[in-house]
Amino acid sequence: MQCQELLVRGLSLGMILGGVMHFICLRKSHAAYGRYVDTSGSSMMVPARLAWFLQELPALLVPLLLMLITDGKHSTGKHLMLWTFCLHYFQRSCIYSLLTKGRPYPFNIMLLGIVFCSINGFLQAHYLLHCATYHNTWFSDACLLAGLIIFFIGMGVNIHSDHILRSLRKPGEISYKIPRGGLFEYVSGANFFGEIVQWLGYAVATWSLPTFAFAFFTICFIGPRAYHHHRFYHEKFKDFPRSRRSLIPFIF
């Protein structure tokens, strides 16, 4: 398959535009899933574990399929970065989804997630496999090394923060508590901070429009969610630490 440059550019710019629109919409409202979903409404609901599995899975399967049908010669760098991308979505679809204790998920939100993960999985995989060019000195490149370090630091923060959130609830509990420990001592959205750091690291390592577009979209989508979580804790708990920030330690 040849590189579809116009398609890659169009999808990347569309993702950036979508991020801007989401950021504007989510500044005052919030995505209707998790603690913000109205379970008494008429929307069809899906169990959280099934919803997370189905919505994240395309971002794992689409790149794997494209790798299977693509000639793998002289593509170690491309496969390294794509496997890094797949590692995150393997964790999200096959591990996180089995462990989550979240509330039922709106069916329409799950469908939108499936569409996004399918498109993004194709975009990242197609660009890396058919458009990206890496030279022999790429493995000693500072951007690659720095980006991978940042990616795995972010992934560690994300996984550890999710573990802290799950540990807040005993089996059968649905009430919310103040998360403590790890980066939650500094920000209310430690899990979101970790995921943003992940994709910023990935963008630095690959240094491409599609990956920066994805990192930008991630910031625009879950950044406001961290802010709303922070406000939720402030309103619900009188003993919430006043020095804690929303998303970025000591800053915001």
Side-chain angles (χ1 to χ4, degrees):
M1 182 185 296
Q2 293 182 340
C3 174
Q4 305 296 320
E5 293 185 17
L6 288 178
L7 179 60
V8 168
R9 191 176 298 115
L11 289 176
S12 300
L13 295 177
M15 191 172 293
I16 292 172
L17 178 60
V20 172
M21 294 174 63
H22 269 93
F23 183 79
I24 294 173
C25 293
L26 295 176
R27 286 181 64 189
K28 296 184 178 180
S29 62
H30 35 67
Y33 67 93
R35 69 189 65 187
Y36 306 113
V37 67
D38 181 10
T39 55
S40 64
S42 59
S43 299
M44 183 185 301
M45 306 301 291
V46 182
R49 293 182 176 181
L50 178 61
W52 277 104
F53 173 75
L54 293 178
Q55 117 175 341
E56 305 287 304
L57 190 61
L60 173 64
L61 293 184
V62 172
L64 290 178
L65 177 61
L66 290 180
M67 278 193 282
L68 285 175
I69 63 176
T70 300
D71 181 11
K73 294 181 180 179
H74 309 296
S75 58
T76 304
K78 301 177 181 182
H79 281 184
L80 171 64
M81 297 315 305
L82 197 50
W83 279 114
T84 303
F85 178 84
C86 290
L87 177 64
H88 169 84
Y89 281 102
F90 172 79
Q91 194 277 330
R92 297 297 284 182
S93 61
C94 300
I95 299 177
Y96 174 83
S97 65
L98 297 177
L99 299 175
T100 184
K101 299 178 182 179
R103 294 169 178 260
Y105 213 83
F107 180 74
N108 61 321
I109 299 292
M110 184 192 74
L111 282 183
L112 291 174
I114 291 173
V115 171
F116 175 81
C117 285
S118 299
I119 294 174
N120 188 47
F122 170 80
L123 173 61
Q124 306 302 329
H126 177 77
Y127 172 79
L128 286 171
L129 293 173
H130 302 290
C131 303
T133 302
Y134 297 109
H135 302 290
N136 293 333
T137 58
W138 181 71
F139 285 102
S140 61
D141 185 84
C143 286
L144 167 69
L145 298 177
L148 286 177
I149 291 172
I150 294 170
F151 176 88
F152 284 107
I153 289 174
M155 187 173 187
V157 170
N158 181 242
I159 292 174
H160 181 246
S161 300
D162 283 338
H163 171 72
I164 290 174
L165 290 175
R166 287 194 302 271
S167 300
L168 292 175
R169 290 178 179 171
K170 297 178 181 179
E173 282 188 337
I174 59 173
S175 60
Y176 288 95
K177 303 175 184 178
I178 300 174
R180 302 185 187 276
L183 272 184
F184 280 114
E185 296 298 322
Y186 304 97
V187 293
S188 298
N191 51 331
F192 302 129
F193 175 78
E195 187 163 354
I196 287 172
V197 169
Q198 260 190 279
W199 296 124
L200 285 175
Y202 186 73
V204 169
T206 57
W207 207 259
S208 66
L209 177 61
T211 54
F212 274 105
F214 179 37
F216 179 79
F217 182 90
T218 301
I219 294 170
C220 291
F221 188 76
I222 64 178
R225 194 164 181 84
Y227 168 76
H228 289 300
H229 278 22
H230 186 68
R231 190 172 65 179
F232 170 86
Y233 290 128
H234 264 287
E235 294 174 353
K236 188 173 180 65
F237 301 102
K238 294 182 179 180
D239 59 338
F240 184 76
R242 299 301 169 181
S243 62
R244 191 176 296 187
R245 296 292 184 255
S246 301
L247 182 64
I248 304 174
F250 312 111
I251 299 176
F252 171 73

